[in-house]
Amino acid sequence: MRPSRQRRLALLLAAVLVPAAALVVGFTSTASAATVFSDDFADGDTSGWSKSGGTWAVVTDGSPAAQQSNAGSENARLFAGSTSWTAYTVQARVKPLSLGATGHVSLLARASGSTVHYRLALLSGNRVQLQAVSGSSVTVLASAARTITTGTWYTLAIDVTGTTVRGSVDGTTIGQATSSLVSAGRIGLQTAYSSASFDDVVVSTGGTTPTTPPATTAPPTTPPATTAPPTTPPATTAPPPAAGTLYVATNGNDANPGTLSQPLLTIQRAHDLVQPGGTIAVRGGTYAPSVTIKILKDGTASQPITLTSYNGERVIIDGENMPYTPGAVDSSIPRPDRGALHVEGDWWRFVGLEIVNGPYGIFGLDTNNGRYERLVTRDNYESGLHIQGASSNNHIIDLDSYGNRDPRKNGESADGLAIKEGSGTGNVVRGARLWRNADDGFDAWLFLSPILIENSVAYDNGYNYWNLPNYTGDGNGFKNGGGNDPRPAVAHTTRNSMAWGNSAGGFIDNGNPGSLVFERNTAWDNGKAGFDVSRSTSVVNRNLSVGNGTNVSLGNSTGSNNSWNLGGTWTFVSTDPATITGPRAADGSIPTSPFLRPTNGADVGARL
């Protein structure tokens, strides 16, 4: 979340600009999507909020949070924002601490006064209601059964656009209705005969978003997502061995034996035929199946199965014809349909393929001992490469993943690379380039085992290049864990990597309280913190952070020989990333460059 000084700046800008042609909120169709307010209460107070009733204080509840502790208060509220705000989404994490039989814990939108607003309420009896409130009159716009447990965090969101009001809990829509009760107003946090904690409040606008990052961020230096990637596997890739090889070609036939002269037509048919130790060699061209390609059989440690491009020819697996491309807003994708390439098998090697326009690019579930080498996952309708579940010993080498977005979640979850919601040791990421993705470059949300990331870069993530409505992309370079409270403590390691030009943080612990390791990394020109390790007990050594919204937020983390320890003014030999973001070396690695090396020659930061 934004630090408090940015929260106050956002409010000041809103107050100044709303009367002046409604340029920040109260958007017309030409306005720009933006985060106009956010507060994570890390400054220890509720300045910028107006209080009405209750006993409010900022406490530590896993992280700093605003807490209303008087469970006997009939009506306790905090308000923020402008009464001129019209079309926006407000989201907050909410934890009921006690929930009275006739009470509620709620998020408010369009509060034109203290008793006129829309409300998303957590109620006793395991109920959630979207309500229109006018004084003592409460109209239920939508209602849903939902288990509500005290002491548990829930993410509540209300979207108000015109006369349409929509509420969701943890990303699941509670309901949508049309109401003309109130057309503009502030946001609010509320309890009635209950107590609760509130955190991570964000208000974002709708409208058409800019095609470049904000003025404070250097414009992207990479080609737009529709440009062919500079990472086609090198022509020096050796052809697969003849023995045990099945061939696939765009002019093949699945009735063929799968030889080089009589190839198969589909990768799925080759999968069904291949045996442990075998290779599927795919000739150049575009393959556009109408259903997910499912990798369900296993190789072995001594006989892995390989799926590769043939002789370095450019192979594109295009998922545009598959279901859920894209999925409907707020919908879910059945697990078997996730991924243009859906992997549940063990001991597979994927080499030199380009996966585009899929419902995820590659989705791995409970998959082990995989190698993902020199792949391109771009322009997919969810994360480019996503691994979850019980998944161990997967190595992701020289991945390029960019342009991935998720219209069904308004940018909330499409990462370049995600290893999340699971566990398993031995997962490694090396040489990845993750850019221009809707959410984050790398995300390890709720992955319970250590991951090693090294020699990788993440840049230009979190900007709405696709004009997604109600945009919620986070925009971090490397997000190292986190999850629902109590957030798991996981000791991920990030070494010799760079994050620049992301809309939010460069390297963040995301609330992961573990002992993470950050060594010789560089953060430059990120919108928020270069390094935010304030909620962990990380060890940070020889890192370089320059020109970010905040260069470092340490908390209880420790380290030495970082730029902030050494002090002074830091400049770079080069701020031109063209070499690093251009064509890869013949072996698939990121080319060497003086980009972001300190002018003074100090042994600090990444060397790529």
Side-chain angles (χ1 to χ4, degrees):
M1 293 295 105
R2 296 178 186 269
S4 294
R5 65 179 181 84
Q6 289 178 293
R7 174 195 71 193
R8 290 192 286 269
L9 176 60
L11 279 172
L12 176 61
L13 289 174
V16 172
L17 296 179
V18 166
L23 294 178
V24 175
V25 285
F27 281 80
T28 65
S29 61
T30 58
S32 296
T35 297
V36 294
F37 175 89
S38 63
D39 198 355
D40 61 3
F41 304 103
D43 59 355
D45 61 49
T46 56
S47 61
W49 295 82
S50 59
K51 184 179 75 171
S52 175
T55 303
W56 294 89
V58 173
V59 301
T60 298
D61 192 350
S63 62
Q67 187 174 100
Q68 199 295 108
S69 58
N70 184 356
S73 177
E74 178 181 3
N75 207 350
R77 292 160 294 191
L78 286 182
F79 293 104
S82 169
T83 55
S84 299
W85 286 2
T86 57
Y88 61 87
T89 298
V90 56
Q91 176 176 295
R93 292 196 308 126
V94 178
K95 179 198 280 189
L97 301 175
S98 66
L99 199 53
T102 60
H104 60 82
V105 173
S106 300
L107 179 66
L108 312 182
R110 281 190 186 166
S112 62
S114 60
T115 61
V116 179
H117 48 255
Y118 295 112
R119 182 166 72 197
L120 184 61
L122 303 180
L123 306 167
S124 62
N126 295 320
R127 294 173 298 145
V128 181
Q129 289 185 352
L130 182 63
Q131 303 170 342
V133 179
S134 180
S136 60
S137 175
V138 177
T139 301
V140 177
L141 303 177
S143 182
R146 171 66 191 255
T147 300
I148 306 299
T149 305
T150 56
T152 298
W153 285 101
Y154 301 92
T155 299
L156 275 58
I158 306 175
D159 177 84
V160 283
T161 305
T163 59
T164 300
V165 184
R166 184 175 66 193
S168 67
V169 177
D170 292 338
T172 299
T173 298
I174 298 303
Q176 177 176 305
T178 299
S179 172
S180 56
L181 171 67
V182 59
S183 60
R186 299 184 293 170
I187 63 168
L189 313 174
Q190 183 180 21
T191 68
Y193 299 116
S194 303
S195 59
S197 294
F198 300 85
D199 198 4
D200 296 341
V201 184
V202 179
V203 180
S204 56
T205 65
T208 303
T209 56
T211 56
T212 58
T216 55
T217 302
T221 57
T222 57
T226 53
T227 302
T231 55
T232 302
T236 55
T237 300
T245 299
L246 293 168
Y247 297 88
V248 178
T250 56
N251 62 350
N253 189 310
D254 278 349
N256 286 343
T259 62
L260 186 59
S261 60
Q262 293 182 289
L264 300 167
L265 176 63
T266 68
I267 295 170
Q268 189 66 64
R269 177 60 176 163
H271 162 275
D272 296 344
L273 295 175
V274 74
Q275 298 299 312
T279 294
I280 301 169
V282 186
R283 301 299 306 268
T286 297
Y287 299 79
S290 59
V291 295
T292 293
I293 299 170
K294 292 181 169 61
I295 306 297
L296 304 178
K297 63 173 55 175
D298 296 337
T300 67
S302 60
Q303 292 186 304
I305 302 173
T306 300
L307 172 60
T308 182
S309 61
Y310 171 76
N311 202 25
E313 295 176 355
R314 187 179 182 189
V315 174
I316 299 174
I317 299 173
D318 188 339
E320 190 68 63
N321 296 329
M322 297 177 180
Y324 309 102
T325 53
V329 174
D330 292 330
S331 68
S332 62
I333 302 175
R335 280 193 175 181
D337 294 315
R338 295 180 187 180
L341 200 63
H342 180 94
V343 183
E344 294 188 30
D346 296 342
W347 295 105
W348 276 78
R349 181 171 178 245
F350 304 95
V351 184
L353 307 171
E354 191 171 334
I355 295 93
V356 306
N357 301 326
Y360 294 82
I362 300 175
F363 185 90
L365 176 65
D366 301 332
T367 180
N368 303 283
N369 302 297
R371 290 188 64 88
Y372 301 80
E373 304 174 32
R374 298 199 304 278
L375 301 176
V376 176
T377 54
R378 63 173 176 88
D379 301 329
N380 294 287
Y381 292 102
E382 248 290 355
S383 294
L385 199 165
H386 181 115
I387 294 175
Q388 75 176 60
S391 298
S392 301
N393 298 316
N394 296 292
H395 286 212
I396 299 163
I397 310 297
D398 298 334
L399 167 72
D400 272 10
S401 189
Y402 67 94
N404 301 292
R405 76 288 193 200
D406 53 329
R408 72 189 181 95
K409 289 189 176 180
N410 308 106
E412 171 62 28
S413 63
D415 306 306
L417 169 61
I419 304 176
K420 58 177 24 174
E421 296 178 292
S423 63
T425 60
N427 293 299
V428 175
V429 179
R430 290 194 179 96
R433 300 192 298 190
L434 313 168
W435 77 94
R436 199 170 282 205
N437 299 289
D439 197 30
D440 301 302
F442 170 77
D443 191 354
W445 170 267
L446 274 178
F447 200 80
L448 307 182
S449 305
I451 301 167
L452 171 63
I453 307 104
E454 55 187 10
N455 308 332
S456 297
V457 299
Y459 57 96
D460 197 26
N461 296 290
Y463 298 106
N464 190 358
Y465 292 102
W466 309 272
N467 297 330
L468 300 178
N470 306 315
Y471 191 66
T472 55
D474 289 341
N476 298 290
F478 295 90
K479 180 187 287 183
N480 287 266
N484 300 317
D485 286 337
R487 302 182 185 192
V490 190
H492 302 304
T493 297
T494 307
R495 291 198 290 248
N496 198 47
S497 295
M498 294 180 174
W500 73 88
N502 299 290
S503 69
F507 301 85
I508 72 167
D509 59 28
N510 198 39
N512 174 357
S515 297
L516 296 89
V517 174
F518 295 89
E519 296 178 341
R520 297 180 180 273
N521 303 294
T522 299
W524 172 60
D525 196 32
N526 297 287
K528 295 185 181 178
F531 291 83
D532 186 348
V533 290
S534 59
R535 301 184 185 183
S536 58
T537 55
S538 295
V539 177
V540 285
N541 292 321
R542 296 193 181 279
N543 298 288
L544 178 60
S545 188
V546 179
N548 304 285
T550 300
N551 281 329
V552 64
S553 180
L554 276 177
N556 292 321
S557 294
T558 59
S560 62
N561 295 308
N562 302 288
S563 59
W564 54 87
N565 301 130
L566 300 174
T569 300
W570 294 83
T571 59
F572 297 118
V573 174
S574 171
T575 56
D576 181 2
T579 299
I580 280 180
T581 61
R584 285 182 176 265
D587 64 356
S589 63
I590 299 173
T592 300
S593 165
F595 177 60
L596 300 187
R597 296 193 182 187
T599 305
N600 63 10
D603 187 16
V604 176
R607 297 290 189 271
L608 293 175

